Amino acid sequence: HHPPRKTLMKLCILEADRPADSFQPVHGTYADMFERWLGPHLPQARVTRLHVRAGAPLPDDPRAFDAYLITGSRAGAYEDHPWIPPLEALLIRIATARLPLAGVCFGHQIMAQAFGGRVEKSPEGWVIGHHAHDLTPAGAAHFGPGARPALSFHQDQVTALPPGATRLLGSAASPNGGLAYDFPAISVQFHPEFAPAYIRDLLQAEGGIRVAEPLAAAALASLGRPLDPDRIARGFAAHLSGASLTR
């Protein structure tokens, strides 16, 4: 007796960047990380990847896909890159079509910027490593009750919320750490798709990101703390598939 087949969904991963070449043999691309993290919770998804930063053509009609996910990037949302304005225009078309949209880190920031918020380099500087995020009632509805531990690696932050955005979660270091919109869009500032080993390599390996030694040491020391990425994955999967969460 076979369980009923779930309806297939076409998920588009908008790759806003890829890791440095030296990291890809071990860790893969950001899209690989997302598929490893989210795939078990979205078995019905058929994934198409569009490498936006490399100039991949973007769909004129967003309904070419059922849902969209935006990755992180080493670029700043506010920087003058030729691929950013077309990406923002696509995000507005996705929102107008009311298709499920989700973003992480740069994805969180570019969504906020495209929809009328503000993104800046935070005076707090780098936020790296394991942090607990407190959920608002809206956040608990998406991700379940209780604080959510997650890994971060960013220095830009959403500093003004777009019209119609609701805070889902935040931490002392990153108060606007998750947003939901009055169309089907959610985003988080942290990296639920990152494995601790990737952050360890970013901080220690050749070709990584150099930060002040005390910050790097504290971040490295935090990487052994427990994580619960599946809780966040279930919330993202329910959102992207258009399902409501039942607990």
Side-chain angles (χ1 to χ4, degrees):
H1 180 71
H2 297 288
R5 288 189 61 184
K6 292 187 175 178
T7 305
L8 295 183
M9 64 172 288
K10 293 181 288 184
L11 173 62
C12 179
I13 296 181
L14 297 165
E15 293 182 85
D17 202 1
R18 288 182 176 169
D21 290 346
S22 59
F23 292 125
Q24 291 187 38
V26 173
H27 300 289
T29 63
Y30 297 143
D32 291 330
M33 297 178 197
F34 274 108
E35 289 204 51
R36 284 197 295 267
W37 165 65
L38 200 53
H41 303 276
L42 269 182
Q44 72 273 34
R46 296 297 174 267
V47 176
T48 298
R49 303 175 178 192
L50 296 181
H51 192 184
V52 179
R53 189 165 189 175
L58 302 179
D60 290 323
D61 184 351
R63 288 167 296 191
F65 299 98
D66 299 314
Y68 290 82
L69 178 62
I70 317 167
T71 73
S73 178
R74 290 168 291 174
Y78 46 76
E79 291 173 359
D80 184 19
H81 299 290
W83 54 274
I84 285 183
L87 174 58
E88 289 186 304
L90 173 61
L91 298 183
I92 291 167
R93 291 198 299 275
I94 293 168
T96 301
R98 302 193 67 82
L99 295 167
L101 170 65
V104 162
C105 201
F106 171 88
H108 169 72
Q109 296 159 6
I110 197 69
M111 285 168 61
Q113 181 172 286
F115 299 143
R118 187 166 65 246
V119 178
E120 300 174 283
K121 193 165 297 233
S122 171
E124 303 296 321
W126 284 102
V127 179
I128 305 175
H130 184 290
H131 294 84
H133 296 77
D134 294 317
L135 277 73
T136 65
H142 278 281
F143 302 122
R148 286 279 151 276
L151 299 175
S152 295
F153 207 117
H154 65 93
Q155 55 180 336
D156 294 344
Q157 300 215 31
V158 176
T159 55
L161 266 54
T166 303
R167 284 182 68 253
L168 295 178
L169 53 91
S171 66
S174 184
N176 297 319
L179 297 176
Y181 292 83
D182 51 8
F183 41 88
I186 62 171
S187 62
V188 295
Q189 176 60 69
F190 56 75
H191 280 286
E193 81 287 10
F194 276 9
Y198 180 59
I199 289 189
R200 189 172 291 112
D201 278 357
L202 279 179
L203 290 170
Q204 293 183 317
E206 193 71 32
I209 296 174
R210 301 277 79 87
V211 300
E213 184 53 42
L215 174 61
L220 289 166
S222 77
L223 295 180
R225 294 181 198 153
L227 292 167
D228 193 4
D230 284 343
R231 291 294 290 268
I232 303 295
R234 286 195 291 271
F236 266 71
H239 170 77
L240 289 167
S241 64
S244 59
L245 281 185
T246 54
R247 301 201 171 275

